[in-house]
Amino acid sequence: MGVVLPLLVRETGLSQRDVLRIVINAPVRYRTYSIPKRNGGERVISQPARELKALQRIVSEHILAHRPVHPCATAYRTGLSIKANAAAHAQNGPIFKLDFEDFFPSITDRDWRAYCEKYSLFSDQEDITVTTNILFRKSGGSTRLRLAIGAPSSPLLSNVIMYDFDTKIADLVSQEQVTYTRYADDLTFSARRTGFLARVRESLEQAIRETSFPSLTINESKTILATRKYKRMVTGLILTNDGRVSIGYRRKRQIRAALHHYSQGRLDTASQAHLAGMLAFINDVEPEFLGRLTHKYGESVLARLRSVRLSSRFS
């Protein structure tokens, strides 16, 4: 017997028979629905059943969390945020951005099995089979299992599976004095001058060809090159020409207006909770702006908003 099944039994307190019952049909224990994307279209979310979600968290904590993740992968990592992803490029000039098509679903059970074999992760084939069933979803009549958007284990697993790719592309572009980060499926490259980015696309295609897994496809509709003359945005944040990371003028204007309405008692409860969340976001990304707001409206006003955010978490 492998090591994973006894781990699941110990951590859940369930019998081996009950754990096996969950594992056997785990790939179909999902509730699937769609939500609109910001830029049009719909995103398919697959929410695992509660008992499967518990197993996914155990595998994440005891197995996936101990696997290497490349430093350039900035998403889903404790202590890192979208600011860390943007800040890596703040001192450079032009940026080149791309993303992958259907990133999570493009990572399959075959990729996980190949990863386990390459790194000798398990000594027993049973462990590969058990973790595969727990970590991947079966959709429709397909025989291929795919990573689900909505499973708590999927973000970390994507970073683990992408380790070889991230290592390859980071090594290739560093030879051209290019900085590379990846936030989930968003790839950002930056350099001091545009000429340094000339071979990035070629290096990216080489890395895709030479990486055994997963099979990746560039989304051609979202390829962007931006210089200091234009707004340079990385994971929703603005890179200023003096080397800082900012939430941007438009967001600041919206936040000032909302805070003004709140100070006059003209903001509904839902908007208050949203504003409180935005202030926490500002504190991480651009704390000096939060300082100016505090100076203008007073610490007591912002303290009341923080209490709104805390109460909304437990309501």
Side-chain angles (χ1 to χ4, degrees):
M1 180 184 291
V3 298
V4 176
L5 195 56
L7 167 69
L8 298 174
V9 170
R10 184 178 72 248
E11 291 296 316
T12 61
L14 298 173
S15 68
Q16 180 173 310
R17 180 180 179 179
D18 286 340
V19 171
L20 277 173
R21 180 177 54 81
I22 299 169
V23 170
I24 287 171
N25 61 4
V28 296
R29 288 177 176 257
Y30 290 84
R31 180 175 68 90
T32 299
Y33 56 94
S34 298
I35 60 173
K37 292 182 179 180
R38 284 187 305 173
N39 300 322
E42 292 188 332
R43 186 183 307 279
V44 177
I45 305 296
S46 297
Q47 193 75 26
R50 183 175 59 181
E51 64 276 10
L52 174 56
K53 190 179 294 186
L55 299 190
Q56 290 172 341
R57 286 177 172 147
I58 292 169
V59 172
S60 294
E61 179 182 351
H62 291 271
I63 299 172
L64 299 181
H66 300 284
R67 303 306 303 163
V69 172
H70 198 278
C72 73
T74 58
Y76 322 122
R77 298 179 64 185
T78 303
L80 295 182
S81 65
I82 59 172
K83 181 183 180 180
N85 187 66
H89 305 278
Q91 298 299 320
N92 281 334
I95 61 171
F96 183 45
K97 300 194 300 179
L98 310 94
D99 72 5
F100 293 124
E101 289 185 3
D102 299 323
F103 178 56
F104 272 19
S106 71
I107 299 174
T108 70
D109 59 321
R110 181 168 52 194
D111 301 322
W112 173 241
R113 291 179 183 277
Y115 177 92
C116 292
E117 295 290 344
K118 178 175 181 177
Y119 290 101
S120 302
L121 183 54
F122 300 113
S123 58
D124 194 305
Q125 187 66 34
E126 177 191 272
D127 289 333
I128 299 179
T129 300
V130 169
T131 54
T132 297
N133 271 28
I134 290 172
L135 296 172
F136 293 87
R137 170 181 175 264
K138 184 178 187 295
S139 60
S142 174
T143 58
R144 179 66 58 210
L145 304 184
R146 301 185 181 277
L147 208 58
I149 301 173
S153 51
S154 292
L156 178 53
L157 180 54
S158 70
N159 277 346
V160 169
I161 291 289
M162 289 289 286
Y163 179 77
D164 285 1
F165 171 84
D166 288 333
T167 300
K168 170 66 73 172
I169 188 63
D171 289 348
L172 285 171
V173 301
S174 66
Q175 299 171 25
E176 305 293 328
Q177 302 180 59
V178 172
T179 300
Y180 161 65
T181 64
R182 180 180 58 81
Y183 195 92
D185 60 344
D186 290 329
L187 283 65
T188 304
F189 303 87
S190 66
R192 286 176 295 164
R193 293 191 296 274
T194 305
F196 291 151
L197 298 173
R199 295 188 58 191
V200 164
R201 180 59 184 259
E202 178 184 336
S203 297
L204 179 59
E205 292 174 348
Q206 179 181 341
I208 291 173
R209 285 195 310 271
E210 295 180 357
T211 303
S212 302
F213 52 83
S215 178
L216 301 166
T217 303
I218 299 170
N219 185 346
E220 300 292 350
S221 66
K222 292 188 178 180
T223 301
I224 299 171
L225 175 65
T227 67
R228 288 181 183 270
K229 294 180 180 179
Y230 304 96
K231 183 169 69 174
R232 295 174 301 148
M233 181 177 290
V234 177
T235 46
L237 299 176
I238 305 298
L239 303 184
T240 67
N241 286 343
D242 59 356
R244 295 181 299 107
V245 176
S246 172
I247 63 171
Y249 174 75
R250 186 176 67 175
R251 271 183 177 162
K252 288 180 180 179
R253 184 177 59 187
Q254 292 171 343
I255 290 167
R256 287 192 190 98
L259 193 51
H260 176 70
H261 291 155
Y262 174 75
S263 68
Q264 295 186 332
R266 295 192 290 130
L267 210 61
D268 61 58
T269 303
S271 298
Q272 289 178 28
H274 177 72
L275 176 58
M278 286 302 299
L279 293 181
F281 173 66
I282 294 168
N283 189 44
D284 175 51
V285 176
E286 201 170 353
E288 59 273 19
F289 177 56
L290 182 61
R292 293 196 296 272
L293 293 176
T294 304
H295 178 74
K296 180 174 182 179
Y297 291 99
E299 176 59 37
S300 61
V301 172
L302 273 71
R304 290 202 306 274
L305 267 174
R306 283 192 287 270
S307 68
V308 167
R309 182 166 182 258
L310 286 172
S311 63
S312 67
R313 283 182 175 180
F314 297 101
S315 59

